[in-house]
Amino acid sequence: MAPDLALAGKALLGALAVLLISLLSQSRYFFIAGLVPLFPTFALIAHYMVGSARGADALRKTALFGLGSLLPYAVYLLAVYALATRLSLPFTLLAATACWMLAAGLLLWGWHYWLH
Protein backbone atom coordinates (compact mmCIF):
# COMPACT_ATOMS: atom_id res chain seq x y z
CA MET A 1 0.00 0.00 0.00
CA ALA A 2 2.91 2.36 0.61
CA PRO A 3 3.97 2.41 -3.09
CA ASP A 4 0.40 3.37 -4.05
CA LEU A 5 0.48 6.24 -1.57
CA ALA A 6 3.84 7.40 -2.90
CA LEU A 7 2.52 7.24 -6.46
CA ALA A 8 -0.54 9.25 -5.45
CA GLY A 9 1.72 11.85 -3.82
CA LYS A 10 3.77 12.20 -7.01
CA ALA A 11 0.59 12.55 -9.07
CA LEU A 12 -0.66 15.22 -6.66
CA LEU A 13 2.59 17.17 -7.00
CA GLY A 14 2.25 17.03 -10.78
CA ALA A 15 -1.35 18.18 -10.63
CA LEU A 16 -0.45 21.06 -8.33
CA ALA A 17 2.31 22.14 -10.71
CA VAL A 18 -0.14 22.14 -13.65
CA LEU A 19 -2.65 24.14 -11.59
CA LEU A 20 0.00 26.68 -10.63
CA ILE A 21 1.15 27.00 -14.26
CA SER A 22 -2.45 27.51 -15.36
CA LEU A 23 -3.09 30.19 -12.75
CA LEU A 24 0.16 32.01 -13.46
CA SER A 25 -0.34 31.91 -17.24
CA GLN A 26 -3.57 33.88 -16.81
CA SER A 27 -2.07 36.48 -14.46
CA ARG A 28 -0.02 39.56 -15.12
CA TYR A 29 2.95 37.46 -13.99
CA PHE A 30 2.45 34.99 -16.87
CA PHE A 31 6.21 34.69 -17.46
CA ILE A 32 6.66 32.97 -14.07
CA ALA A 33 4.73 30.03 -15.54
CA GLY A 34 7.98 29.21 -17.36
CA LEU A 35 9.81 28.88 -14.04
CA VAL A 36 7.43 26.43 -12.38
CA PRO A 37 8.41 23.40 -14.51
CA LEU A 38 12.01 24.00 -13.52
CA PHE A 39 11.32 23.46 -9.83
CA PRO A 40 13.28 20.28 -9.12
CA THR A 41 10.31 18.19 -7.97
CA PHE A 42 11.15 15.24 -10.18
CA ALA A 43 14.88 15.77 -9.79
CA LEU A 44 14.44 15.48 -6.03
CA ILE A 45 12.59 12.20 -6.48
CA ALA A 46 15.15 10.87 -8.97
CA HIS A 47 18.12 11.97 -6.86
CA TYR A 48 16.66 10.39 -3.75
CA MET A 49 16.04 7.13 -5.58
CA VAL A 50 19.47 7.02 -7.23
CA GLY A 51 21.28 8.13 -4.07
CA SER A 52 19.54 5.59 -1.86
CA ALA A 53 19.80 2.72 -4.36
CA ARG A 54 23.27 3.32 -5.82
CA GLY A 55 25.15 5.70 -3.55
CA ALA A 56 27.00 8.99 -3.81
CA ASP A 57 29.05 8.26 -6.95
CA ALA A 58 25.95 7.39 -8.98
CA LEU A 59 24.21 10.47 -7.56
CA ARG A 60 27.12 12.63 -8.73
CA LYS A 61 26.93 11.14 -12.25
CA THR A 62 23.18 11.70 -12.28
CA ALA A 63 23.67 15.34 -11.27
CA LEU A 64 26.31 15.82 -13.96
CA PHE A 65 24.00 14.34 -16.58
CA GLY A 66 21.25 16.62 -15.26
CA LEU A 67 23.49 19.61 -15.95
CA GLY A 68 23.97 18.34 -19.48
CA SER A 69 20.20 17.98 -19.85
CA LEU A 70 19.92 21.75 -19.60
CA LEU A 71 21.35 21.95 -23.12
CA PRO A 72 18.39 20.28 -24.86
CA TYR A 73 16.06 22.46 -22.81
CA ALA A 74 17.97 25.54 -23.93
CA VAL A 75 17.66 24.37 -27.55
CA TYR A 76 13.91 23.96 -27.03
CA LEU A 77 13.57 27.46 -25.57
CA LEU A 78 15.66 29.02 -28.33
CA ALA A 79 13.49 27.29 -30.94
CA VAL A 80 10.29 28.54 -29.28
CA TYR A 81 11.74 32.05 -29.12
CA ALA A 82 12.83 32.00 -32.77
CA LEU A 83 9.66 30.41 -34.17
CA ALA A 84 6.91 32.00 -32.03
CA THR A 85 6.33 34.88 -34.43
CA ARG A 86 6.90 32.83 -37.60
CA LEU A 87 4.69 29.76 -37.08
CA SER A 88 1.38 28.98 -35.44
CA LEU A 89 1.50 27.88 -31.82
CA PRO A 90 1.06 24.14 -32.54
CA PHE A 91 3.79 24.14 -35.21
CA THR A 92 6.10 26.22 -33.03
CA LEU A 93 5.76 23.76 -30.16
CA LEU A 94 6.04 20.74 -32.46
CA ALA A 95 9.21 22.08 -34.10
CA ALA A 96 10.70 23.07 -30.73
CA THR A 97 9.93 19.60 -29.36
CA ALA A 98 11.63 18.03 -32.39
CA CYS A 99 14.66 20.24 -31.70
CA TRP A 100 14.64 19.09 -28.06
CA MET A 101 14.47 15.45 -29.15
CA LEU A 102 17.42 15.88 -31.51
CA ALA A 103 19.47 17.68 -28.86
CA ALA A 104 18.54 15.07 -26.23
CA GLY A 105 19.55 12.30 -28.61
CA LEU A 106 22.90 13.99 -29.18
CA LEU A 107 23.34 14.36 -25.44
CA LEU A 108 22.65 10.65 -24.89
CA TRP A 109 24.99 9.67 -27.69
CA GLY A 110 27.72 11.99 -26.42
CA TRP A 111 27.31 10.81 -22.83
CA HIS A 112 27.63 7.20 -23.89
CA TYR A 113 30.45 7.85 -26.38
CA TRP A 114 32.67 10.15 -24.34
CA LEU A 115 31.92 9.44 -20.71
CA HIS A 116 31.38 5.69 -20.62
Side-chain angles (χ1 to χ4, degrees):
M1 187 132 177
D4 291 336
L5 186 58
L7 183 60
K10 293 171 193 171
L12 181 61
L13 285 174
L16 288 173
V18 170
L19 179 62
L20 185 57
I21 291 168
S22 178
L23 292 172
L24 285 169
S25 69
Q26 298 171 22
S27 76
R28 68 182 188 156
Y29 302 108
F30 61 89
F31 49 90
I32 299 174
L35 183 62
V36 174
L38 298 178
F39 183 80
T41 304
F42 298 110
L44 288 167
I45 294 166
H47 293 157
Y48 177 80
M49 291 176 157
V50 169
S52 62
R54 296 187 161 261
D57 287 336
L59 180 58
R60 287 181 52 152
K61 286 181 182 176
T62 303
L64 183 61
F65 186 80
L67 283 170
S69 72
L70 295 174
L71 295 173
Y73 188 65
V75 168
Y76 169 83
L77 291 176
L78 287 170
V80 168
Y81 183 81
L83 299 173
T85 58
R86 295 185 175 114
L87 300 175
S88 68
L89 178 60
F91 284 119
T92 295
L93 298 179
L94 182 65
T97 300
C99 290
W100 180 92
M101 291 173 72
L102 178 63
L106 289 172
L107 172 66
L108 290 169
W109 175 80
W111 182 265
H112 178 73
Y113 184 76
W114 284 302
L115 298 176
H116 287 86

